[in-house]
Amino acid sequence: MAEEICFFTKDDLIIKPPKKSPALLRMIVIVFAMVCGVYICSTCLKQTNTETTRKLLNIEVIERPCHEYDRSQIPYLHYPKPKTFSRAECSCNPVRLFAVLSAQRSGSGWFETLLNSHINITSNGEIFSVKERRENASSILRTLDMVYNLDLITSASKNHCSAAVGFKWMLNQGLIQYHKEIVEYFNNKGVSVIFLFRRNLLRRMVSVLANSYDRYARLLNGTHKSHVHSTEEASTLAKYKPEINTTLLITDLKRMDASTKEALEYFNSTRSIFLYYEDLIKDHTKLEDVIEFLRLPQMNLTSRQVKIHSGPLQEHIKNWDDVNKTLKGTAYESFLRSDY
């Protein structure tokens, strides 16, 4: 660029510096702005990536699968996510599912109180006594989902860390009618089945008849109780002696026996254990077998229930002589003798 030369006087020469181009200044500003912009953008991107990584890490920790136990037990271990409450710190505590299959007056109520005395067990009672829950296969499966997802709250429900959850189910409460759907559900869900029946069907018959009578007579101060917790109450209920129809006695015993065998046949593909009420009364190690079957720590199980019809059967049947004659020499003669 040529310099501007000005002469103010004859003898003096003054040289002016060249003027800076406005275009150059603009270029410098633009370049500086671009550099700053690139720096700011790169910094923001780094912060965004860091925050995203943190979120992903947090999600990974939250959704990390619970600890896996013995792989052979995985089908029987469940981690329920109830809709009605949060299991919180118990969310990774595995839960085993079970069902007690029985018949009325076979000791299932007493047996369930024993189970519920275990700190890790919740048995929810006779949930299918409610007809709406067993109207069809769909309503049954829907109810089972509620029970095993811990969304059916009963008086027996314990804390959120129960290690085994189940209920008792009578044979005449849709169990036999919809056995195919139920067996499939049990096998898919890994539900363990506890069969509980009475060996002495004559004693069971006496208990059924006496309980049916008390539904209307209400011998305990105008109230009906299927189970009692004092010897005084048991003695009051035992005063009633049912009269058994000997004409139908053999037929009725055969029918009761057949229903037990039918249930065992239908549910033989499930993981199961079979118990007789009489054996539990006489041999308390049988309870240890149940706890081991459920893979839970052993505990001393207790119940406040008191047996109603104790002692020889002849003291509890009004027409004992007729019953005795009817069963003598038959396959059911052994029922006449006291077995515990």
Side-chain angles (χ1 to χ4, degrees):
M1 182 181 295
E3 293 181 344
E4 294 186 13
I5 301 175
C6 299
F7 293 91
F8 290 96
T9 63
K10 183 179 178 180
D11 299 322
D12 296 325
L13 176 66
I14 299 176
I15 303 175
K16 288 186 178 181
K19 291 182 180 179
K20 292 184 179 180
S21 171
L24 179 61
L25 290 175
R26 284 196 295 270
M27 183 63 70
I28 293 173
V29 171
I30 291 172
V31 171
F32 180 78
M34 291 178 62
V35 171
C36 290
V38 171
Y39 175 78
I40 292 172
C41 288
S42 63
T43 303
C44 291
L45 285 174
K46 286 181 180 179
Q47 290 179 348
T48 303
N49 288 336
T50 302
E51 187 66 24
T52 302
T53 303
R54 287 177 182 172
K55 289 182 179 178
L56 289 174
L57 288 174
N58 288 339
I59 292 173
E60 183 180 352
V61 170
I62 292 173
E63 295 183 353
R64 184 177 58 191
C66 294
H67 177 67
E68 291 188 356
Y69 292 76
D70 178 4
R71 295 198 67 83
S72 66
Q73 290 302 304
I74 288 177
Y76 305 103
L77 299 179
H78 301 271
Y79 301 90
K81 294 181 180 179
K83 298 176 182 178
T84 52
F85 66 90
S86 171
R87 295 190 75 209
E89 71 276 5
C90 302
S91 59
C92 277
N93 285 27
V95 176
R96 296 176 185 274
L97 314 179
F98 70 89
V100 179
L101 308 191
S102 188
Q104 279 83 0
R105 314 309 295 176
S106 296
S108 60
W110 167 75
F111 178 69
E112 193 172 43
T113 61
L114 291 171
L115 292 181
N116 277 320
S117 70
H118 194 293
I119 193 172
N120 298 126
I121 299 178
T122 292
S123 191
N124 291 284
E126 201 171 319
I127 63 171
F128 285 108
S129 61
V130 179
K131 291 183 179 180
E132 291 75 14
R133 294 173 179 168
R134 52 182 167 90
E135 285 182 333
N136 49 52
S138 297
S139 60
I140 286 176
L141 300 185
R142 187 165 54 249
T143 302
L144 290 175
D145 282 339
M146 288 180 62
V147 173
Y148 294 136
N149 200 47
L150 310 185
D151 281 319
L152 184 68
I153 308 299
T154 69
S155 59
S157 300
K158 292 193 177 71
N159 58 54
H160 305 337
C161 291
S162 292
V165 174
F167 61 98
K168 63 174 183 173
W169 199 346
M170 302 298 103
L171 299 186
N172 63 347
Q173 294 174 347
L175 189 63
I176 300 301
Q177 184 178 359
Y178 301 105
H179 68 273
K180 291 182 180 179
E181 293 87 348
I182 297 167
V183 167
E184 183 179 2
Y185 181 96
F186 280 3
N187 287 332
N188 289 338
K189 289 282 189 177
V191 177
S192 298
V193 173
I194 301 173
F195 290 107
L196 176 63
F197 293 104
R198 223 167 166 157
R199 181 182 284 110
N200 193 325
L201 299 179
L202 182 60
R203 279 190 175 270
R204 182 192 160 211
M205 183 180 291
V206 169
S207 184
V208 168
L209 292 172
N211 185 65
S212 178
Y213 172 79
D214 190 63
R215 287 182 185 276
Y216 304 97
R218 301 181 182 274
L219 300 176
L220 295 175
N221 299 319
T223 61
H224 168 63
K225 290 186 178 181
S226 295
H227 308 99
V228 297
H229 300 105
S230 71
T231 54
E232 292 78 13
E233 291 178 325
S235 177
T236 299
L237 292 181
K239 288 179 181 178
Y240 171 72
K241 297 182 179 182
E243 183 174 351
I244 295 177
N245 186 339
T246 54
T247 303
L248 298 175
L249 179 56
I250 298 294
T251 301
D252 289 340
L253 291 176
K254 286 182 178 180
R255 177 181 50 78
M256 293 164 69
D257 192 25
S259 66
T260 299
K261 293 177 180 178
E262 185 179 36
L264 292 175
E265 180 182 350
Y266 286 155
F267 289 85
N268 64 1
S269 64
T270 62
R271 179 179 184 266
S272 61
I273 183 174
F274 184 89
L275 303 168
Y276 275 124
Y277 167 74
E278 291 85 352
D279 294 339
L280 289 173
I281 292 287
K282 292 186 294 186
D283 185 1
H284 289 285
T285 63
K286 293 294 183 180
L287 291 175
E288 296 177 5
D289 294 341
V290 174
I291 301 304
E292 183 179 349
F293 174 70
L294 294 175
R295 300 295 184 99
L296 297 176
Q298 293 291 340
M299 286 185 62
N300 182 35
L301 306 183
T302 59
S303 173
R304 293 177 52 242
Q305 282 193 17
V306 176
K307 184 173 176 57
I308 297 173
H309 298 99
S310 57
L313 258 177
Q314 63 191 54
E315 297 178 0
H316 303 292
I317 299 177
K318 186 176 182 180
N319 57 334
W320 169 255
D321 291 337
D322 294 334
V323 171
N324 188 52
K325 290 178 182 178
T326 301
L327 296 184
K328 278 284 187 178
T330 70
Y332 305 109
E333 182 179 355
S334 60
F335 294 168
L336 298 169
R337 297 187 291 272
S338 179
D339 46 8
Y340 51 85

